[in-house]
Amino acid sequence: MRDFVGHGPTAPLDRWPDGSLVAVNIVVNVEEGAEASWADGEGNDSWGEYTIPIDPTVRDLGTEGHFEFGSRVGIWRLVRLFERFDAPVTFGVCARALERNPPFAEWLRASGHDVLGHGYRWAEVSQMSEEEERADLERAMRVLPELVGRPVRGWYVRSFPSERTRRLAAAHPDLVYDSDSCNDELPYRVEVDGRPWLVVPYTKVHNDTRYFLAPTYAAPRHFAESLIGAADFLLDEARHGAGARLMSVGLHPRWSGQASRATAVRDFLHHVTTTPGITLVHRDQVVRWWIENVR
């Protein structure tokens, strides 16, 4: 059943438990190596640097190269920025991508950053059978904790979840929330098969996919201005009584890891780390805050 009401005019919390008014959670989508490719007998994927799909009967080496840039160069550029600003972030990881990048897997395992399950493969689950989707989830949930050395508590899929995605995630004993919804900014509870389940919404707006989806960003500064404007507006809302705000940001190493576009990430990190009232958080930190403080 669809819900058109949500939390209503004010948030359940006046401010976050650490005293901040706005919590910013950056989610880095680690997908490179999990996308469809000829090398894996899966055809071509169209989400590289170009949005123009190549003839499916021809191997798309160009797009494969764009994905490889993300894991070879882009992820490390973003990592350096996060370390420079001492920024906690969430890595939404496809398990196959992590298997194919051992140096990053080792770094992530040694870090204190949050890990969000993003499938074994980076594939549209809406085009899978229920058995295929369940198998992908279960395989990812076996592989990811082994690679990162800690539990994975959240789940989200590629662009279009299926009608069964939430039910399958809620049935897994280690998962406590999903981030497949974009219908709110704050977490909220739903019921799945008679049990409470937490949803921590994601965003397709504060997301570097907008470099390719019309209306596109003509320059990285437009992305930075969009993110900074949103954070400042949320802070202003909270100061005027709307309650604690949460801002999600979606990044991809193959896009925001390009040198020019990384300037937008740098400028946004500088802004939020120097603005009183705003804090950077892990997604799992938000989950714990919500479970402990909102009934």
Side-chain angles (χ1 to χ4, degrees), residues 49 69 73-74 77-78 81 208 211-212 217-224 253-268:
E49 189 66 24
F69 179 92
V73 181
R77 179 162 288 133
L78 294 177
L81 283 174
D208 60 7
Y211 283 118
F212 302 96
Y217 297 124
R221 65 181 174 83
H222 296 152
F223 186 32
R254 61 188 179 278
W255 296 329
S256 284
Q258 300 283 344
S260 61
R261 298 183 191 128
T263 61
V265 181
R266 178 199 63 198
D267 294 349
F268 178 63

Side-chain angles (χ1 to χ4, degrees), residues 84-154:
R84 172 178 165 185
F85 287 94
D86 193 24
V89 299
T90 295
F91 288 90
V93 182
C94 294
R96 191 170 78 180
L98 203 58
E99 285 179 326
R100 292 175 167 180
N101 195 344
F104 177 66
E106 291 174 11
W107 178 88
L108 188 56
R109 185 183 183 95
S111 80
H113 293 290
D114 182 27
V115 177
L116 174 62
H118 196 28
Y120 180 76
R121 293 176 53 223
W122 189 59
E124 292 293 357
V125 299
S126 59
Q127 299 175 6
M128 296 180 184
S129 68
E130 179 165 340
E131 292 71 24
E132 290 170 333
E133 184 176 357
R134 182 186 292 108
D136 183 85
L137 184 153
E138 291 179 349
R139 186 175 185 184
M141 290 300 293
R142 287 194 303 271
V143 171
L144 284 174
E146 292 179 0
L147 289 175
V148 301
R150 52 190 177 275
V152 173
R153 300 188 346 128

Side-chain angles (χ1 to χ4, degrees), residues 2-198:
R2 298 177 69 190
D3 179 358
F4 292 90
V5 176
H7 294 299
T10 57
L13 293 174
D14 290 333
R15 59 181 62 235
W16 295 104
D18 69 346
S20 61
L21 293 171
V22 178
V24 174
N25 174 233
I26 295 174
V27 180
V28 181
N29 295 267
V30 181
E31 300 156 349
E32 292 81 1
E35 82 284 0
S37 72
W38 270 49
D40 294 302
E42 299 163 350
N44 298 319
D45 208 298
S46 60
W47 272 97
E49 189 66 24
Y50 304 132
T51 57
I52 303 170
I54 197 169
D55 185 331
T57 64
V58 178
R59 184 175 181 179
D60 187 355
L61 290 170
T63 295
E64 289 181 22
H66 292 309
F67 275 88
E68 289 165 14
F69 179 92
S71 63
R72 292 164 61 101
V73 181
I75 189 63
W76 298 113
R77 179 162 288 133
L78 294 177
V79 161
R80 287 191 291 271
L81 283 174
F82 300 143
E83 291 179 336
R84 172 178 165 185
F85 287 94
D86 193 24
V89 299
T90 295
F91 288 90
V93 182
C94 294
R96 191 170 78 180
L98 203 58
E99 285 179 326
R100 292 175 167 180
N101 195 344
F104 177 66
E106 291 174 11
W107 178 88
L108 188 56
R109 185 183 183 95
S111 80
H113 293 290
D114 182 27
V115 177
L116 174 62
H118 196 28
Y120 180 76
R121 293 176 53 223
W122 189 59
E124 292 293 357
V125 299
S126 59
Q127 299 175 6
M128 296 180 184
S129 68
E130 179 165 340
E131 292 71 24
E132 290 170 333
E133 184 176 357
R134 182 186 292 108
D136 183 85
L137 184 153
E138 291 179 349
R139 186 175 185 184
M141 290 300 293
R142 287 194 303 271
V143 171
L144 284 174
E146 292 179 0
L147 289 175
V148 301
R150 52 190 177 275
V152 173
R153 300 188 346 128
W155 187 257
Y156 73 135
V157 297
R158 191 164 160 163
S159 305
F160 308 108
S162 72
E163 291 184 284
R164 59 188 172 258
T165 297
R166 180 165 292 159
R167 172 171 54 83
L168 292 174
H172 195 283
D174 295 336
L175 293 170
V176 299
Y177 76 95
D178 76 71
S179 290
D180 280 313
S181 181
C182 297
N183 63 354
D184 208 313
E185 293 170 343
L186 293 170
Y188 60 90
R189 289 180 173 87
V190 296
E191 188 176 281
V192 181
D193 289 339
R195 294 175 296 153
W197 178 254
L198 190 63

Side-chain angles (χ1 to χ4, degrees), residues 22 24 185 205-206 217 220-239 245 247-249 264 267-269 271-272 275 278:
V22 178
V24 174
E185 293 170 343
V205 175
H206 305 134
Y217 297 124
R221 65 181 174 83
H222 296 152
F223 186 32
E225 289 170 3
S226 176
L227 297 180
I228 290 169
D232 286 350
F233 188 89
L234 292 171
L235 182 59
D236 185 63
E237 272 193 327
R239 285 173 173 165
R245 306 281 91 188
M247 179 180 177
S248 295
V249 177
D267 294 349
F268 178 63
L269 287 171
H271 182 78
V272 296
T275 300
I278 301 179

